[in-house]
């Protein structure tokens, strides 16, 4: 298997084995062995590194998917809230339009009844009407009901 030296040295003559390796061959065997150990360690390190990288990639993909789901949920919730707000605004606008039409009708009716004559206390009712109009522009319905009742009372008193 190995190279045998044709002339054994004095140290080699005392050994009972008949195989001798040249120093170059012994060095090559040692180097090959060390390279194999280094290569095995390097392969082990690479394998671990690749596995950790793949785990990070999987975790990142999972986090990305979770974030997308969370964003979709938040978008759906925001849409529901916006839809509800839109319905509330539309309802308030509708209510305001109805009250405006009713007021215009009542004003025309009263104007026709008194043939555009000035009613006593009319200046007082004009101020209340202006307050009511300003209130409806701010869409604060609780406060507007107070002004509506105040205007109704003023008109009733003026007509009496």
């Amino acid at each position: 298997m190995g190279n045998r030296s044709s002339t054994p040295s004095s140290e080699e003559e005392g050994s009972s084995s008949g195989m001798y390796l040249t120093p170059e061959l012994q060095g090559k065997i040692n180097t090959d062995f060390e390279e194999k150990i280094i290569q095995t360690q390097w392969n082990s390190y690479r394998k671990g590194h690749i596995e950790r990288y793949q785990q990070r990639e999987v975790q990142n993909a999972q986090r990305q998917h979770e974030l997308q789901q969370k964003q979709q949920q938040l978008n759906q919730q925001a849409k529901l809230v916006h839809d509800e707000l839109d319905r509330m605004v539309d309802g308030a606008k509708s209510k305001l339009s109805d009250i405006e039409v009713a007021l215009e009708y009542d004003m025309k009716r009263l104007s026709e009844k008194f043939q555009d004559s000035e009613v006593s206390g009319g200046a007082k009712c004009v101020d209340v009407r202006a307050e009511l109009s300003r209130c409806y522009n701010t869409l604060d319905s609780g406060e507007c009901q107070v002004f509506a009742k105040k205007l109704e009372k003023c008109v009733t008193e003026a007509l009496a």
Side-chain angles (χ1 to χ4, degrees):
M1 181 157 149
N3 291 340
R4 277 201 259 167
S5 188
S6 56
T7 55
S9 65
S10 59
E11 286 182 18
E12 293 172 347
E13 289 177 8
S15 99
S16 60
S17 165
M19 278 180 65
Y20 300 103
L21 297 176
T22 63
E24 293 86 25
L25 183 58
Q26 185 66 38
K28 185 173 181 334
I29 291 173
N30 289 340
T31 304
D32 287 346
F33 182 72
E34 288 172 359
E35 286 177 2
K36 181 154 178 78
I37 290 173
I38 291 172
Q39 189 65 37
T40 302
Q41 289 175 344
W42 172 249
N43 288 340
S44 174
Y45 171 78
R46 262 189 27 210
K47 182 179 176 185
H49 182 72
I50 290 171
E51 288 173 356
R52 287 188 302 274
Y53 174 78
Q54 289 172 342
Q55 287 174 350
R56 282 192 308 269
E57 287 295 313
V58 167
Q59 289 171 346
N60 287 339
Q62 288 173 344
R63 274 190 240 127
Q64 184 71 18
H65 180 70
E66 290 170 2
L67 287 174
Q68 286 175 346
Q69 285 181 334
K70 186 75 165 180
Q71 185 177 12
Q72 287 175 350
Q73 289 174 349
L74 291 175
N75 286 342
Q76 288 174 350
Q77 288 175 347
K79 185 180 180 331
L80 292 175
V81 169
H82 283 277
D83 290 346
E84 181 64 26
L85 287 174
D86 288 344
R87 280 193 294 277
M88 290 172 65
V89 167
D90 289 343
K93 284 181 180 179
S94 174
K95 191 175 182 181
L96 180 61
S97 294
D98 291 345
I99 291 172
E100 186 179 1
V101 168
L103 282 174
E104 284 181 27
Y105 173 77
D106 288 342
M107 285 177 25
K108 283 182 184 177
R109 192 175 51 96
L110 287 173
S111 176
E112 289 172 1
K113 183 176 182 179
F114 293 104
Q115 298 167 359
D116 293 334
S117 65
E118 181 75 28
V119 182
S120 66
K124 180 179 168 188
C125 291
V126 170
D127 292 339
V128 174
R129 183 175 153 229
E131 290 175 356
L132 179 62
S133 177
R134 187 174 35 251
C135 180
Y136 282 136
N137 287 335
T138 62
L139 295 175
D140 191 357
S141 62
E143 191 175 310
C144 293
Q145 292 300 325
V146 171
F147 287 116
K149 296 229 185 269
K150 194 174 178 183
L151 179 62
E152 183 180 342
K153 181 179 176 186
C154 180
V155 170
T156 304
E157 288 175 0
L159 295 176

